[in-house]
Amino acid sequence: MLVPSRRRLRIEVWIVLGLSLGQSAVYSVVQLLDKLTRAPLAEGTSTLNRSQSSREYFDLTYQLLDIMFALVPVVLVIYFLTEHRGAGESGASAFRKLGFNFVRPGKDLLQGLGLAALIGIPSLGLYAAGRALGITTAIIPSALDAYWWTIPVLILSAVRHGIVEEVIVVGYLLDRLGKFGWSMPLAIFASSMLRGSYHLYQGFGPFIGNAVMGVVFAWIYTKTRRVMPLVIAHALLDIVAFVGFSLFGKAIGLG
C-alpha cells in the first residue's frame, strides 16, 4: 500500500477544503462582515435556496448543475481515502472505511431519525433566541418559484448538503487530522468550528448551533465509524426546513 507523507496529506486537505467547505467558510465570514457593516444583524436576511433564472427550465438546469458539481469534492475525498495498492491488488473501499454504504439500512435510518430529533428541536429554540437577541438573520430556507420540480429539487439539495458536509467535515477530516497526530478532542473541535464557520453568514446563533451539532455528530462518528446515520439526519433536517418552508411558509406568515 502506498502511504502518503504528512506534507502531502496537508496539501491534500487544503485542496479539498479549498474546493468545498473551507471556501464556503471564507465566503461566509466575508458575508457576515458585509451584513454587520450595513445594518443590525437582526435586519439581515439569509436565503438558502435561490432561483437562478426567471425561465423555468433554465432555473431547473442551474439547480441540478449546482447539486451535481457540489458533490465533486466528495468524489475526490472518496478517491483520496481509497487505499491504492500495487498493480494487481485491490484497495480498501473508502465507502466501507467511512461507513458510507447500505450494509445496515434499518439501523442507520433509526439512528438518523433519532439524531434529527435530537438536533432539530433545540435548533428551533436557538433560532428564536438568536432572533430575539439580534444575533441571527432572518433565514429563508427556500426562495424557489413554485414549479412541478421545486419539491424534488429541494429534497436533492438537502441530500447534497448532508453528503457533502458529513463525508468531508466528519469522515474525511477526522481521518486526516488523526494522521497528523491530533488528539481526538482537538480534531472534533476543529471539525465543529469549521462546520460553524461556514454558517456564519446566517449570524452568530447558527454558528453556535452548528458548532454544537458538529461536536455531537463527530463524537457519534468516533463511536460508530459510520457516516451514513449523520448523512440521513442532516438530510432529514434540511428536507423539513426546505420543503416545509416551501409548502407552508407563506401560509403561516413567513417569507
Side-chain angles (χ1 to χ4, degrees), residues 42 128-136:
R131 292 292 291 154
L133 293 171
I135 61 171
T136 300

Side-chain angles (χ1 to χ4, degrees), residues 16-157:
V16 169
L17 294 182
L19 292 172
S20 58
L21 297 166
Q23 178 187 136
S24 298
V26 173
Y27 274 106
S28 189
V29 171
V30 174
Q31 289 168 353
L32 175 66
L33 293 174
D34 186 13
K35 291 174 182 178
L36 286 170
T37 53
R38 285 176 180 267
L41 200 56
E43 297 179 12
T45 301
S46 300
T47 304
L48 307 189
N49 293 280
R50 298 175 177 271
S51 290
Q52 298 188 47
S53 175
S54 59
R55 303 167 69 186
E56 177 181 352
Y57 287 98
F58 276 99
D59 196 3
L60 172 60
T61 301
Y62 285 129
Q63 300 296 334
L64 294 177
L65 287 174
D66 275 355
I67 292 168
M68 181 181 69
F69 284 114
L71 291 170
V72 172
V74 176
V75 177
L76 185 63
V77 159
I78 296 298
Y79 175 79
F80 283 143
L81 288 178
T82 298
E83 295 180 1
H84 302 284
R85 301 179 184 275
E89 299 181 18
S90 61
S93 167
F95 292 99
R96 185 170 64 249
K97 183 176 184 178
L98 292 170
F100 185 43
N101 51 30
F102 298 101
V103 297
R104 41 170 249 184
K107 191 171 182 179
D108 286 342
L109 179 60
L110 287 175
Q111 288 183 345
L113 287 168
L115 277 173
L118 176 67
I119 297 297
I121 296 172
S123 294
L124 294 174
L126 184 61
Y127 175 70
R131 292 292 291 154
L133 293 171
I135 61 171
T136 300
T137 65
I139 298 175
I140 300 177
S142 174
L144 296 181
D145 293 327
Y147 299 122
W148 64 267
W149 49 261
T150 301
I151 300 304
V153 162
L154 289 173
I155 293 172
L156 287 175
S157 178

